[in-house]
Amino acid sequence: MFLTEEQKAILNGEKGDTLAKVMESVVRYGELFGADKLVPITSKYNHLVTSFGLKMIGPIYDLMNKLIEAGAISGQKFSCDPRPVDKNVPANFLQKLVFNKFMYSKQDFYEGQLNTLGLMEKDAFSCACYLDEVGNKPNKGDILSWSESSAVVYANSVLGARCNRNSGIIDIMGSVVGYVPHFGLLTDEGRKATWIIEVKTTKKPEAQLLGSAIGMKVMEDVPYIKGLDHWIGDELNDESCAYLKDFGAATASNGAVGLYHVDNLTPEAKELGDALISEGAQVYVIDDAELQRIYDSYPVIWKKPDATPKLCFMGCPHMSLEQLKSWTVKLEAALEKAGNKKVVIPTVFTTAPKVIEAFNNTEYAKRLEATGVIVSYICPLMYMNNPLCRKMPVITSSNKLRTYTTARYYTDEEILVKITGGKK
Amino acid sequence: MKAFNGRVVSPGTVTAEALVSHGGLNTLASFQKALQFGDKKATCGDQNNPDLYGHEMAGKALCLPQTIGSTTGGLVLYCACAMGRQPACMLFSQPIDSLAGAGVILADVWLDGVKMPVIDSLGDEFLDFVKTGNTITVKENGVVEVE
């Protein structure tokens, strides 16, 4: 890999042993994937996946301490994934004890490390950092050192930024040296599609189900999706962006997709169209039957498959302001139809702290509160990953949450019926 | 016995029992429970991976196509290595992915005394041939022998 004199000097230890190790990590990471050079990071902010002060990831705190002690601080400020605990989310005494005294007992300590290393502001915790209210929204063509799979796939696909599916820790190392290796999704060739997805459903496909199907089929490849614009339009607006946010998270968690193109919709597809498709690309046709097959393939791992759900999580990745508003309206209508005043299953909508602030300034906040739904900034995935919560029958329409936890997946429509006590 | 040639990602030699995943290894889903709750044998917690779910991963020759899922994957693998709960070696049929690659490099650069040989690009035939329970020997030059 070509390195500039400045980069070689850092690698050779002229700015200290710790910075040399950081550079070595970045360079070896690039060499492994055939990078030809390092390129400067151009985004204003970074985004880190590691937000949780889990007691058991002590080696990460040790590594962060090494960076701090050596003054190897991030050259750009950053946002982080959501916090793992929120006292507003229902939890019994034992769960609270486990969360606060055992699992996440290092949360305050770790947030202190993040502040020292360059956190944007004290509440910059959301997986959907690109939402306007959060303020970490890169420009088209920006080079990023982000991690968080759902944010990376959104930045690449919807915003047209350029970022590889970086792992946690490598993300901040890019920021510390100011460069990332030039390979994969940073290159024009790496952004070409090797799969054509033909959407031939008879109704708008469920975002999280379609993303799951595509992720499981193409794994880490780049899909070019045709026919979806018929259902979600050819304009990037609040509604289509929310759809793509949820769709992308499912492609990234059920497979390893870092970039997708949607014909007539996403920026590079609009500019380049079929020229983005590699010669010999494979074809995957998705119709109603295929989506049903995918849905039916999800294992139900509850001890009692017919158990009454004790909790419902919506918002993995975090919901947008428009999603909170539209769900408020949907809930009110469904509750009225069901003859209920409040949700019949404890339900938590998760979103960014800054979105909560904005939502609380709208008329919808009181209306949603009246339905009994709790709005939280928590990461539901982190809430779920312990033996106590793992045994709880939790439902969700997030395919990411389904993938990483025991939560059971239902479509948005099914969730609405269940939490409002309606009938199908 | 059959031998396969791959690329050395992290050098070393080892002999261990094979544990085979035909689907992608979801690192977070597989290791999280073990890391959080002190399971030194690193029992796989990924319900979506029927090949590995419930199997002990620590000390095994983990044979897989690639890793998938959350971008915490690399740091999870790094933590597994730092805590001594890593596989004996990782053997990828495909070129290593960016998450596993990051984890392996971070462990190599930042941890002292941790050895986990990693070989990639062993080919589809490798995963077709190897079975859980086989004895695997990894050579310094990237040759993987399956008995």
Side-chain angles (χ1 to χ4, degrees):
Chain A
M1 186 196 306
F2 170 80
L3 295 179
T4 65
E5 291 305 315
E6 178 215 2
Q7 292 160 355
K8 281 183 198 168
I10 296 172
L11 187 61
N12 291 335
E14 289 182 21
K15 292 191 177 177
D17 290 345
T18 302
L19 209 54
K21 277 191 170 184
V22 174
M23 183 59 97
E24 184 187 351
S25 303
V26 173
V27 169
R28 281 189 57 187
Y29 176 56
E31 283 175 338
L32 193 55
F33 298 100
D36 54 348
K37 59 185 174 184
L38 298 180
V39 289
I41 294 166
T42 59
S43 63
K44 186 172 182 186
Y45 299 116
N46 197 354
H47 180 79
L48 312 186
V49 68
T50 325
S51 61
F52 41 89
L54 264 178
K55 194 177 177 184
M56 293 300 286
I57 60 165
I60 298 300
Y61 312 133
D62 294 343
L63 204 159
M64 292 295 200
N65 258 345
K66 284 180 186 169
L67 298 181
I68 291 167
E69 284 168 6
I73 305 300
S74 174
Q76 51 175 183
K77 299 275 186 186
F78 53 80
S79 50
C80 261
D81 265 14
R83 287 181 169 117
V85 279
D86 177 359
K87 60 179 170 48
N88 294 318
V89 175
N92 61 34
F93 174 78
L94 194 55
Q95 286 169 329
K96 284 177 184 167
L97 190 73
V98 168
F99 289 153
N100 297 316
K101 301 292 180 193
F102 178 64
M103 284 181 68
Y104 299 114
S105 58
K106 302 288 279 185
Q107 188 64 27
D108 289 344
F109 168 79
Y110 182 55
E111 287 192 23
Q113 285 192 321
L114 291 174
N115 271 316
T116 306
L117 286 163
L119 188 67
M120 281 169 68
E121 54 95 24
K122 69 177 177 60
D123 285 327
F125 291 96
S126 175
C127 48
C129 60
Y130 43 79
L131 294 174
D132 289 337
E133 297 80 4
V134 184
N136 183 1
K137 190 174 191 174
N139 296 314
K140 185 171 180 294
D142 269 351
I143 304 291
L144 319 180
S145 185
W146 286 17
S147 46
E148 171 46 50
S149 60
S150 66
V152 168
V153 74
Y154 189 92
N156 274 319
S157 311
V158 182
L159 303 178
R162 294 193 171 210
C163 186
N164 280 312
R165 273 172 56 88
N166 299 304
S167 171
I169 306 304
I170 277 287
D171 50 11
I172 196 165
M173 291 194 174
S175 271
V176 169
V177 294
Y179 298 98
V180 285
H182 183 247
F183 72 92
L185 298 176
L186 265 58
T187 69
D188 290 343
E189 193 59 31
R191 297 178 76 84
K192 285 196 168 177
T194 51
W195 281 89
I196 299 168
I197 311 297
E198 295 180 358
V199 176
K200 293 186 174 176
T201 53
T202 59
K203 61 180 182 180
K204 181 178 172 181
E206 190 84 3
Q208 303 257 9
L209 203 48
L210 181 66
S212 168
I214 293 173
M216 288 199 269
K217 176 64 76 174
V218 312
M219 299 306 286
E220 80 282 12
D221 289 345
V222 178
Y224 189 101
I225 302 150
K226 296 189 173 188
L228 187 56
D229 56 321
H230 174 74
W231 297 110
I232 65 172
D234 58 5
E235 190 186 333
L236 288 173
N237 51 34
D238 287 338
E239 194 178 345
S240 60
C241 284
Y243 184 99
L244 294 176
K245 167 178 70 72
D246 295 341
F247 162 80
T251 67
S253 56
N254 285 233
V257 174
L259 164 68
Y260 58 81
H261 302 292
V262 179
D263 200 30
N264 293 321
L265 181 59
T266 52
E268 282 158 273
K270 276 205 165 186
E271 275 177 25
L272 301 168
D274 284 358
L276 279 169
I277 302 170
S278 295
E279 199 175 323
Q282 300 179 78
V283 177
Y284 176 35
V285 177
I286 297 181
D287 55 16
D288 298 342
E290 177 63 358
L291 288 183
Q292 189 63 46
R293 184 188 71 78
I294 294 294
Y295 183 97
D296 292 341
S297 73
Y298 299 147
V300 178
I301 55 169
W302 291 358
K303 199 170 180 182
K304 292 181 183 170
D306 58 349
T308 302
K310 287 193 173 172
L311 191 61
C312 171
F313 269 121
M314 300 286 287
C316 176
H318 273 171
M319 293 169 92
S320 69
L321 183 61
E322 287 309 310
Q323 282 181 305
L324 285 173
K325 290 178 182 175
S326 65
W327 267 93
T328 302
V329 174
K330 280 194 279 191
L331 272 169
E332 288 172 335
L335 283 169
E336 187 177 351
K337 189 177 169 189
N340 288 319
K341 296 281 186 200
K342 289 181 181 287
V343 289
V344 297
I345 297 169
T347 298
V348 180
F349 285 0
T350 61
T351 187
K354 291 288 181 188
V355 173
I356 294 177
E357 272 181 46
F359 185 64
N360 285 342
N361 289 327
T362 71
E363 52 151 330
Y364 294 89
K366 289 284 177 202
R367 289 165 56 185
L368 184 60
E369 189 181 358
T371 69
V373 167
I374 295 160
V375 180
S376 168
Y377 53 72
I378 201 173
C379 173
L381 201 157
M382 290 297 136
Y383 174 95
M384 286 290 295
N385 270 315
N386 67 80
L388 299 172
C389 294
R390 192 173 284 123
K391 290 175 185 166
M392 280 173 66
V394 174
I395 60 172
T396 183
S397 69
S398 164
N399 229 317
K400 181 170 183 170
L401 194 61
R402 176 198 72 81
T403 301
Y404 295 135
T405 72
T406 56
R408 186 169 179 175
Y409 172 82
Y410 288 100
T411 64
D412 282 348
E413 199 175 319
E414 290 169 327
I415 289 279
L416 190 60
V417 170
K418 285 184 178 296
I419 63 179
T420 56
K423 290 188 173 55
K424 264 189 139 179
Chain B
M1 192 272 284
K2 190 162 183 175
F4 298 86
N5 287 295
R7 175 178 68 151
V8 178
V9 174
S10 182
T13 58
V14 72
T15 296
E17 183 184 326
L19 178 63
V20 181
S21 173
H22 290 95
L25 173 84
N26 193 319
T27 313
L28 173 64
S30 297
F31 278 96
Q32 188 173 36
K33 187 179 166 192
L35 296 186
Q36 277 183 13
F37 298 102
D39 173 9
K40 291 181 179 172
K41 293 174 180 173
T43 306
C44 178
D46 182 7
Q47 69 210 22
N48 291 315
N49 190 332
D51 290 337
L52 297 190
Y53 184 57
H55 286 266
E56 295 166 3
M57 298 182 291
K60 297 291 173 65
L62 192 56
C63 308
L64 67 164
Q66 285 192 320
T67 70
I68 59 170
S70 167
T71 44
T72 56
L75 75 91
V76 169
L77 193 53
Y78 173 83
C79 286
C81 290
M83 297 159 85
R85 286 167 205 171
Q86 76 275 23
C89 57
M90 292 181 79
L91 307 172
F92 295 82
S93 63
Q94 296 177 26
I96 197 168
D97 57 280
S98 62
L99 305 182
V104 171
I105 287 166
L106 289 170
D108 250 11
V109 174
W110 293 89
L111 298 175
D112 295 324
V114 172
K115 269 292 161 201
M116 181 179 66
V118 178
I119 312 292
D120 78 347
S121 304
L122 285 159
D124 292 341
E125 193 193 349
F126 167 70
L127 266 194
D128 290 341
F129 183 82
V130 68
K131 302 284 181 289
T132 291
N134 286 162
T135 299
I136 300 264
T137 300
V138 178
K139 309 271 189 181
E140 194 77 42
N141 59 357
V143 171
V144 174
E145 294 175 352
V146 183
E147 291 180 51

